[in-house]
Structures are given as C-alpha cells and as structure tokens.
Amino acid sequence: MKKFTDIALPVIAAVAIIFALAGALLIAPTEKAMGHVQRIFYFHLGSAAAAFAGFTLVLAASVAFILSRRMVFDSVAFAAGEVGVLFCSFVLLTGPMWARPVWGQWWVWDPRLTTTLFLWFLYVGYLVLRHMMPGYRGAMAGAVFAILAYVDVPVVYFSVRWWRGIHPRVLQGGGGLDPAMIPPLLVCVAAFGLLAMALIRERFEIQRLEESVSRAEDTLEVEAR
C-alpha cells in the first residue's frame, strides 16, 4: 500500500496548480502597459522559485553526502538537480515569451538572463557528470561540483542589483507591482514549490528502484558465474 504522502502530495500539488492557473489567468488584474502578456510573469517567477529550491536541495544533499558518505543523499541531490533543471528550463522559455512583445527582442545579454543561462549550463553539466561517473566516485565528484555550482544561485538573484540591467527588479525594488497581483503571485510560487516537491519525491523513488534492480542484476550475474 502506498504511503499517504505518495498520494497526497501529488494531489495537493495538482490542486494548487489549478488555483495558480485560475489566479494568474482569471483573478489577477491586467497590467495596464503590457496587457495580458504580463501574466507569463506569474509562471516565470514561480518556476524560478522552484528552480532555486531544487538547486538549494542539491547543495544541502551534496554537503550531507560528503559528511556522511551515504549514497541516499546522492540520490536526493540527483533527483533535485533534474527537477531544478526542468524548472530553470521553463524560466528560460517563459522569459523570451515575455521579452519579445515587451522588449521587442527574444533575448538580450542582460546580467540576470546571462547568469541564469550560465546556471542552467552548470546544472546540466552536473547531471551529465553524474551520468558519466556512476557509483561512489561519481557521487563525490558530483557533490563537489554541485557545491561550487551553487555559487551562481545568489549571483543570479542579486544580478539585477549589482549590474543594473534591464530585467525588472520585482522582488528587490517593487517593480511597480499592483498589490492585487501579490496574492496570485504567492499562490503560483507555492503551487510550483509543491509541484517541485512532488516531482523530486517521485524521481527519487524511481532512482532508488533503478538502483535496487541494478544491484539485483549484479548479484544474479555473480551467482551465474
């Protein structure tokens, strides 16, 4: 019998996403200058928060692995890394969708955009490293790489303050956000966070099953010799 959290968490996440869609598309007021395209912002920022949370979990699990040498923390880090890259990809997709009608360009080499793209490459590199180096050595190399890669997370967050690019400073300067937009925004952030938690949990369980099957196959192969 599946544990209660195995069922409850995905259901809660799904319900939260429905509320987030309703809040962003139906309840939030239409921004006067940008119009309906501004609604992308709710999903863009929600995805960014989920990506940051995923990468923070990669950092925590990597530190725990180095301190304890327990492979379960490597599995947590890998699952969180995959989900973090997924949401970071969504950030890089929704950003240009908003930028094209507002800035007139799909992409500009703004500090926030550039550091976010670099962050995506860093964690894709982490996943590639873990695929190429399975086992304990790969876990140790991945943990060290993940700790170093996390340095870019605060750089991304503070980039709009340090280098004053054209990216809006929504969380660090108000960004002219209408107070009526804040509740739908918070619902989106919470919903994407719950979705990320559900995905990380599912990916972790799948990885643990794959590792169990791999160990069983190795045992059978040894016994057959």
Side-chain angles (χ1 to χ4, degrees):
M1 181 178 179
K2 289 175 73 66
K3 296 178 181 177
F4 174 75
T5 53
D6 292 338
I7 301 172
L9 185 56
V11 171
I12 293 172
V15 172
I17 288 295
I18 293 172
F19 275 100
L21 288 170
L25 301 179
L26 303 176
I27 299 175
T30 304
E31 209 279 336
K32 293 179 181 177
M34 292 180 278
H36 288 298
V37 71
Q38 186 268 346
R39 298 182 190 278
I40 295 173
F41 155 78
Y42 298 96
F43 309 111
H44 181 73
L45 197 144
S47 299
F52 279 9
F55 295 149
T56 301
L57 183 55
V58 175
L59 172 70
S62 297
V63 172
F65 170 77
I66 291 176
L67 295 177
S68 68
R69 303 295 198 269
R70 294 179 60 191
M71 291 298 289
V72 64
F73 291 117
D74 173 66
S75 299
V76 172
F78 187 81
E82 281 193 339
V83 174
V85 167
L86 173 66
F87 281 100
C88 193
S89 301
F90 200 60
V91 171
L92 292 171
L93 287 173
T94 53
M97 290 170 63
W98 174 87
R100 182 66 179 88
V102 176
W103 290 345
Q105 301 181 68
W106 292 104
W107 181 270
V108 294
W109 292 102
D110 170 86
R112 169 62 67 82
L113 276 66
T114 304
T115 53
T116 302
L117 180 62
F118 187 58
L119 185 71
W120 184 86
F121 276 116
L122 282 174
Y123 280 91
V124 168
Y126 164 77
L127 297 178
V128 171
L129 174 65
R130 289 300 292 113
H131 274 296
M132 293 179 63
M133 294 181 64
Y136 180 81
R137 287 186 58 196
M140 182 58 72
V144 173
F145 185 94
I147 292 171
L148 296 175
Y150 192 79
V151 172
D152 193 41
V153 171
V155 172
V156 172
Y157 182 78
F158 289 109
S159 58
V160 291
R161 177 182 299 177
W162 291 344
W163 293 297
R164 298 183 183 277
I166 61 174
H167 190 283
R169 297 175 60 181
V170 177
L171 298 181
Q172 300 170 38
L177 199 64
D178 188 317
M181 297 176 178
I182 294 178
L185 175 62
L186 295 178
V187 171
C188 276
V189 170
F192 276 73
L194 287 168
L195 179 60
M197 288 173 57
L199 291 174
I200 290 171
R201 182 178 177 81
E202 289 299 317
R203 186 64 187 93
F204 171 76
E205 294 296 339
I206 290 172
Q207 188 169 345
R208 299 293 284 178
L209 286 174
E210 291 174 347
E211 291 169 357
S212 298
V213 170
S214 179
R215 285 195 296 270
E217 289 177 345
D218 292 342
T219 302
L220 290 173
E221 185 176 341
V222 170
E223 292 176 353
R225 291 176 182 172

